[in-house]
Structure formats: structure tokens, C-alpha cells
Amino acid sequence: MHPLLAALVGAVVGAGAVGSAWAVVGGSHGAGKTSPSSATPQTPRTFALNGTFELADGVIDDGTGGCQGGDGYDDIFEGAAVTVYDGAGTVIATGELGESTLESEGTCRFDVSVGNVPTGRGFYKVEVSHRGTVQLSETEAESGAFGASLG
């Protein structure tokens, strides 16, 4: 066999062997991977922000142990909007004031529970009705430490 022909055949066979090896090795590293377009979307982790909201002024007894706001606090009642914002001010979850209890000192206490609040935001701002925000760290928000008062 002519030396030039032998070199050409060797190069072709060698290239084929290297290509086959890459295919086998590369295929084993890529096994089980999916392309971004076919990947199943991950559901973000969430938590329920729980706590209490208290109204001290303008409290009206509802006659059944519950209460609501009056005299300028008419927007504070069971079902009033509770909005959760991230640190940038984007709305990330919404809920409502829950059951109210008229406390012996005349304070109206509402349960607060807002579900599906996304984790990983660092800080959260919580607003009841349109009364301004209370800022919480992520640790406080997740631990049920939300507590706010008005009046």
C-alpha cells in the first residue's frame, strides 16, 4: 500500500473512532436532559402569610362578637382587601381580612391569612385596604409574625 494512501485511510479510520467515542461519551452526559422548551415548569415555592390586624379607633360592634370600622374607618371590615407586595412594589399576592373579634378593650382584631405568597423575595410589604404598608423580612413573613394596627 502506498504510504500516502495508508495515511489517508488511517486518518479516516481515526476520525471515525474519535467521533464514535465522542458520541458515546457525550451521549452519556446528556442522558436524561431535556431542552428548555420541553422541560416541565417548576412551580414556585409559596407560603401563607398569617397574622393579625387590629383597629383601635372607630370600632363598631356588630352584635355577634365581631366588629368593623366606622367613623372614617368604614373600609375596615371582614373581607377588606389585603395586598402583599415585594420589595420593588409589585403585587405578588392578595387576600382579605378574615374573621373579626371585638376585644374587651374595644379593639377590633381581624385574622389575616394570604395564601400563595412566593418565597425568595427578601422583603415583603403588606397593605390592608388603602392604609399604607407594613414591611416584613422574609423570615418574619413566613413565621406568622405579621401584626399591624390602625388608630
Side-chain angles (χ1 to χ4, degrees):
M1 181 183 272
H2 189 281
L4 185 58
L5 181 58
L8 184 57
V9 169
V12 170
V13 171
V18 169
S20 295
W22 282 351
V24 169
V25 172
S28 68
H29 289 301
K33 289 186 179 179
T34 57
S35 67
S37 62
S38 66
T40 304
Q42 295 289 343
T43 303
R45 204 173 75 94
T46 61
F47 66 95
L49 185 142
N50 296 308
T52 59
F53 177 79
E54 294 181 354
L55 179 65
D57 291 336
V59 175
I60 299 173
D61 182 344
D62 71 2
T64 64
C67 46
Q68 65 185 39
D71 298 328
Y73 297 97
D74 299 17
D75 58 318
I76 307 298
F77 53 88
E78 291 180 14
V82 178
T83 307
V84 180
Y85 304 88
D86 63 13
T90 303
V91 174
I92 57 172
T94 58
E96 306 175 335
L97 287 180
E99 186 176 328
S100 64
T101 304
L102 183 60
E103 301 294 319
S104 60
E105 70 277 0
T107 300
C108 186
R109 180 175 299 191
F110 295 88
D111 293 329
V112 176
S113 183
V114 180
N116 298 318
V117 178
T119 60
R121 303 301 170 103
F123 288 91
Y124 298 85
K125 296 177 183 176
V126 182
E127 182 176 39
V128 174
S129 187
H130 64 277
R131 298 293 180 152
T133 61
V134 174
Q135 183 169 306
L136 305 169
S137 71
E138 187 155 0
T139 302
E140 292 169 326
E142 287 184 350
S143 71
F146 173 71
S149 61
L150 181 62

